[in-house]
């Protein structure tokens, strides 16, 4: 059974930083890409970024590139989203996702991932 358990997030001031974690279990990691999406109230789910388990290659949305960083933990079953220089428009519920690397969906920001975390609220005040 695949599970993605998220932690972190919360409240930050504009210009501040937060880190989200996503612990994955029940997947063959080398066959999956991991990604982060976010959804603000009244808006569609938006691609944030993705990372390959096997290569560590990453891809980011233009809105977060150079501010957010996705990485894997030493245990390699944990993915992090380090968010810096936060802006009020980053306020959203953030979701981690796991998807077959063969599908390549996360690399084009397709939200049709196989598995999702429970979501974590991030609120950035101005």
């Amino acid at each position: 059974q695949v599970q993605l358990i998220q932690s972190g997030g919360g409240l930050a001031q504009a210009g501040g930083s937060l880190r989200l974690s996503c612990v994955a279990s029940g997947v063959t990691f080398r066959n999956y890409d991991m990604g982060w999406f976010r959804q603000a109230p009244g808006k569609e789910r938006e691609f944030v970024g993705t990372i390959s388990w096997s290569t560590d290659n990453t891809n980011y949305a233009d809105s977060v590139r150079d501010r957010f960083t996705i990485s894997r933990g030493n245990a390699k079953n944990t993915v992090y989203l380090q968010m810096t220089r936060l802006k009020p428009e980053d306020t959203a519920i953030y979701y981690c996702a796991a998807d077959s690397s063969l599908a390549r969906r996360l690399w084009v920001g397709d939200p049709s991932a196989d598995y999702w975390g429970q979501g974590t609220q991030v609120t950035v005040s101005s």
Side-chain angles (χ1 to χ4, degrees):
Q1 181 181 359
V2 177
Q3 282 192 313
L4 303 178
I5 305 298
Q6 296 179 224
S7 61
L11 178 64
Q13 290 188 331
S17 300
L18 287 171
R19 189 176 80 161
L20 306 182
S21 301
C22 176
V23 178
S25 61
V27 296
T28 303
F29 301 125
R30 65 179 181 275
N31 295 331
Y32 278 82
D33 297 322
M34 300 293 294
W36 290 93
F37 288 76
R38 66 187 182 185
Q39 189 165 18
K43 294 188 177 182
E44 293 185 350
R45 191 164 294 190
E46 174 190 24
F47 171 72
V48 173
T50 190
I51 186 168
S52 165
W53 277 116
S54 58
T55 68
D56 277 344
N57 288 340
T58 55
N59 184 40
Y60 298 94
D62 289 342
S63 58
V64 306
R65 188 172 289 116
D66 299 328
R67 297 190 300 121
F68 291 10
T69 302
I70 299 175
S71 61
R72 291 190 296 158
N74 290 332
K76 296 190 176 182
N77 67 333
T78 303
V79 174
Y80 300 102
L81 177 65
Q82 179 68 49
M83 302 180 289
T84 64
R85 291 183 283 146
L86 284 163
K87 304 175 181 180
E89 51 264 43
D90 294 321
T91 295
I93 298 175
Y94 283 70
Y95 298 90
C96 70
D99 199 43
S100 168
S101 59
L102 294 177
R104 303 290 292 175
R105 284 183 292 212
L106 293 183
W107 293 95
V108 295
D110 186 340
S112 305
D114 290 335
Y115 305 104
W116 293 91
Q118 80 275 20
T120 302
Q121 178 69 47
V122 170
T123 302
V124 183
S125 62
S126 58

